[in-house]
Amino acid sequence: PMLETGRLISVTQESQRTFELQCGPHLLKLGSGTLIMGILNITPDSFSDGALFFDAKDAIDHGTAMAEAGADILDVGGESTRPFSEPVSPEEEIRRVVPVIKELSRRLSVPISIDTTKAEVARAALDAGAVIVNDVGALRLDPEMAELIATRNVSVVLMHMQGLPKTMQLDPH
């Protein structure tokens, strides 16, 4: 039997539940195996790959390589969320991610998510071809984010974070 709730469809087969999640033109099958999200940080200071893909061409090449290696989703971010990191302006974040998302969405057949807490950045990324919003602030940091996601009818990843990246390690409990 199939139960449709929005765009998430539950399918039960031989006691295994799987879900299909529509992300723009892409259909992700959840529950039948592990999906891999390739992380593409276009920042000078991310904890895992800061500055390695800060140049747009390098970022596009790396995103393409991750998709060719089997990444099911590409997550593109233009602001580091490492502990004690400094925020960047929406304009700078847009300048970093939009050209890369435009080119990757043109080249590749995998869904692209935008890793941001800012509705202005998410809007520009969705216009450029992203189909998922990955918000580490869980819609708490920008009052316009939830409405943007609902209006655009896009999938969203909600993350938990105590405080802000700059302060989250000062008194974790």
Side-chain angles (χ1 to χ4, degrees):
M2 298 179 76
L3 171 67
E4 187 167 342
T5 310
R7 291 171 295 114
L8 189 61
I9 301 168
S10 171
V11 181
T12 305
Q13 296 174 342
E14 300 173 20
S15 73
Q16 179 185 7
R17 285 190 90 172
T18 61
F19 299 89
E20 294 177 341
L21 182 62
Q22 193 71 46
C23 298
H26 312 283
L27 185 66
L28 293 176
K29 296 187 180 208
L30 309 174
S32 61
T34 302
L35 297 179
I36 304 295
M37 178 182 269
I39 306 300
L40 182 56
N41 294 314
I42 309 169
T43 64
D45 59 346
S46 289
F47 57 83
S48 62
D49 59 358
L52 290 178
F53 310 109
F54 195 52
D55 175 77
K57 182 188 178 312
D58 293 340
I60 292 163
D61 290 346
H62 187 61
T64 301
M66 286 191 289
E68 289 172 353
D72 299 292
I73 304 168
L74 292 180
D75 187 53
V76 178
E79 178 179 61
S80 178
T81 53
R82 70 171 170 72
F84 309 108
S85 62
E86 293 289 335
V88 299
S89 70
E91 296 78 18
E92 175 62 14
E93 201 173 339
I94 289 168
R95 184 194 68 73
R96 293 175 182 182
V97 300
V98 164
V100 174
I101 291 171
K102 273 185 184 174
E103 185 60 21
L104 289 175
S105 67
R106 186 188 69 74
R107 283 187 189 191
L108 305 175
S109 61
V110 298
I112 297 173
S113 68
I114 177 63
D115 180 351
T116 188
T117 60
K118 301 174 187 106
E120 183 178 347
V121 176
R123 186 177 298 107
L126 293 170
D127 290 344
V131 294
I132 303 168
V133 174
N134 179 6
D135 183 355
V136 299
L139 308 178
R140 297 176 299 118
L141 303 180
D142 187 328
E144 296 178 24
M145 186 70 91
E147 184 176 344
L148 172 68
I149 290 166
T151 301
R152 294 292 187 96
N153 196 28
V154 296
S155 297
V156 60
V157 177
L158 301 175
M159 305 291 286
H160 168 74
M161 170 176 52
Q162 186 175 354
L164 300 171
K166 187 171 182 160
T167 62
M168 65 187 180
Q169 292 298 314
L170 294 179
D171 186 26
H173 57 277

